[in-house]
Amino acid sequence: MDLKDMILQIGQKIDKIKDNLQTEEATKNALIMPMLTALGYNVFDPTEVLPEYTCDIGTKKGEKIDYAILKDGEPVILIECKHWAQDLSLYDNQLLRYFGVSTAKFGVLTNGIIWRFYTDLEKPNQMDTVPFLEVNLQALKDAQIEELKKFHKSYFNVETVLSTANELKYLGELRAVIQTELTDPSPDFTRYVVKQLYTGIVTQRVVEEFQPLLKRSISLYINDIIADRLKVAMKESEPANKPAEEPAEGLEECATDDGIDTTDEEMDAYHICRAILSEYISPDRISYKDTKRYFAVIIDGKVTQTVCRLRFNYRDIRRISFITEDKLEENVDLPDGDLSHIYNYRDKLIEIAKRYDK
């Protein structure tokens, strides 16, 4: 089993076991030690992985950090562990103190699910306040696995990791800024865009008028990109159809014949759902089933693993039905029929997909 498979295996079992991990020690045993093992370290060899490593901080003697990864008898990576449910942002200062009195070049703060990697890019021997790499084992990306490989015992080299840490740090920060602006454009960003097309004076009132328009334009543009790329990359065949069910009460059906017509709008919505779900599972596992009454997004080609149903066959209504654990439908209507609102239900879609991996 290679590194990717081992890490994915750890991520997939988190939801199944985390509620049984009542203590920090249980989190270490079930999540953190397996991760260190996946990275090639023998957690039972204190010359490689030393638990309770002592870091004297000023007048405080005997302060201990959970683990130190050793090389030639010296610490190269310090690891501070927390319970899986704890917010890591509350503890980065603790790791910072240990880092400052150690020869280690890297610090790791983790609750077994989130892994944050730090170094001293801004000031020598002083840990940065922002990690250069953050990995969520429940939403792992291929690019992050490549970065984790650099910490594998077989490949680990301080200079190699440091050479990419600076780039990773700023890539992460830039991505966060871009994500914020694309999700909720700031007045400054809106003003910059409006100046490209508005011939008058860009007052505060003009900015406020354009903000919702800009937000909607960004959503539509992203939808187009996702739909175009997935249509090119994925060639799919339609699953077999099953008998239709009765339309929901109070909705007037606008289909004019007994055939099944998969519309561009349904496919656009499907591609949005697929893009969201691909953050958690492989796109190859995601497909659809079209019927006369609804369009279902399913996993592993099984209608018993339906994530949601798109009900677009009724006039003036674009409705999504999420499948609950009781196999019931939780219905929501998209405001103004705007498909971009599907992104607002990202967490719900992924939550349902995780249910089928248990």
Side-chain angles (χ1 to χ4, degrees):
M1 187 180 296
D2 64 13
L3 175 64
K4 179 178 180 179
D5 291 335
M6 293 177 72
I7 296 177
L8 289 175
Q9 190 176 73
I10 296 170
Q12 289 168 357
K13 74 176 185 179
I14 289 173
D15 276 337
K16 300 177 184 178
I17 67 172
K18 65 182 183 181
D19 290 337
N20 292 320
L21 307 178
Q22 300 297 319
T23 64
E24 181 181 303
E25 198 64 29
T27 300
K28 292 180 187 177
N29 292 334
L31 298 178
I32 297 171
M33 290 177 68
M35 181 65 169
L36 297 180
T37 300
L39 290 173
Y41 298 100
N42 183 352
V43 295
F44 302 108
D45 183 352
T47 65
E48 281 189 24
V49 181
L50 182 60
E52 298 294 308
Y53 179 72
T54 300
C55 294
D56 292 334
I57 304 174
T59 58
K60 291 186 177 181
K61 304 297 182 181
E63 292 289 305
K64 298 183 183 299
I65 195 165
D66 292 294
Y67 298 107
I69 304 295
L70 305 180
K71 186 175 182 180
D72 299 327
E74 294 295 327
V76 289
I77 305 174
L78 301 180
I79 304 174
E80 180 66 13
C81 307
K82 299 301 171 187
H83 183 255
W84 68 265
Q86 288 184 307
D87 180 0
L88 294 181
S89 299
L90 302 175
Y91 300 98
D92 49 6
N93 284 336
Q94 184 177 353
L95 178 61
L96 187 150
R97 294 198 305 272
Y98 294 136
F99 187 92
V101 296
S102 168
T103 59
K105 290 298 293 183
F106 301 100
V108 178
L109 180 61
T110 181
N111 59 11
I113 301 174
I114 307 295
W115 291 71
R116 293 179 178 174
F117 294 80
Y118 299 82
T119 188
D120 56 352
L121 297 173
E122 297 179 4
K123 293 182 180 179
N125 303 318
Q126 182 174 324
M127 192 184 85
D128 300 334
T129 56
V130 177
F132 66 87
L133 176 64
E134 179 171 323
V135 175
N136 182 340
L137 295 190
Q138 292 188 296
L140 201 59
K141 298 177 175 60
D142 286 343
Q144 294 174 332
I145 293 176
E146 291 304 311
E147 296 304 326
L148 286 174
K149 282 183 180 179
K150 296 175 183 177
F151 286 92
H152 192 282
K153 178 185 174 183
S154 301
Y155 313 113
F156 180 73
N157 179 280
V158 170
E159 297 305 320
T160 300
V161 180
L162 284 176
S163 67
T164 58
N166 193 61
E167 180 179 335
L168 285 172
K169 176 177 181 289
Y170 288 110
L171 279 175
E173 292 177 353
L174 285 169
R175 182 178 178 178
V177 171
I178 292 171
Q179 182 177 359
T180 299
E181 293 292 1
L182 293 183
T183 304
D184 189 14
S186 67
D188 287 342
F189 180 63
T190 304
R191 187 182 302 274
Y192 169 77
V193 174
V194 171
K195 284 182 177 180
Q196 315 304 312
L197 53 94
Y198 190 75
T199 57
I201 299 175
V202 183
T203 63
Q204 182 62 29
R205 181 184 62 81
V206 172
V207 170
E208 291 173 356
E209 289 177 354
F210 270 92
Q211 268 183 300
L213 291 175
L214 177 58
K215 183 175 181 179
R216 186 172 181 186
S217 295
I218 291 171
S219 295
L220 291 173
Y221 178 64
I222 293 174
N223 291 351
D224 290 342
I225 292 176
I226 292 172
D228 290 344
R229 289 186 178 179
L230 287 177
K231 283 176 182 177
V232 171
M234 306 294 177
K235 292 183 179 180
E236 304 163 316
S237 59
E238 282 191 41
N241 297 299
K242 70 174 186 179
E245 62 182 22
E246 292 300 316
E249 183 180 354
L251 298 182
E252 181 182 358
E253 185 182 8
C254 63
T256 56
D257 56 48
D258 293 333
I260 295 173
D261 179 21
T262 301
T263 66
D264 289 342
E265 191 176 33
E266 287 173 329
M267 289 306 298
D268 286 346
Y270 165 68
H271 287 313
I272 293 173
C273 292
R274 185 171 189 167
I276 292 171
L277 293 171
S278 294
E279 296 180 25
Y280 174 69
I281 61 177
S282 169
D284 295 338
R285 297 180 59 193
I286 308 164
S287 58
Y288 64 87
K289 175 183 177 65
D290 200 2
T291 75
K292 295 178 184 178
R293 309 300 183 188
Y294 61 78
F295 181 107
V297 179
I298 62 178
I299 293 177
D300 297 331
K302 300 177 181 178
V303 294
T304 55
Q305 295 185 176
T306 297
V307 177
C308 66
R309 291 171 178 164
L310 309 175
R311 298 185 181 275
F312 292 178
N313 295 332
Y314 309 102
R315 290 192 180 99
D316 302 324
I317 290 181
R318 296 295 175 265
R319 172 170 294 175
I320 299 184
S321 300
F322 298 103
I323 307 305
T324 68
E325 291 193 69
D326 299 327
K327 304 301 180 184
L328 301 176
E329 293 188 357
E330 179 183 337
N331 299 313
V332 297
D333 293 340
L334 301 178
D336 302 320
D338 186 349
L339 301 186
S340 67
H341 288 285
I342 295 174
Y343 288 106
N344 296 333
Y345 300 99
R346 170 190 173 278
D347 292 345
K348 184 177 289 292
L349 289 167
I350 292 178
E351 177 187 343
I352 297 172
K354 288 180 179 179
R355 188 189 309 154
Y356 298 127
D357 270 352
K358 292 182 178 180

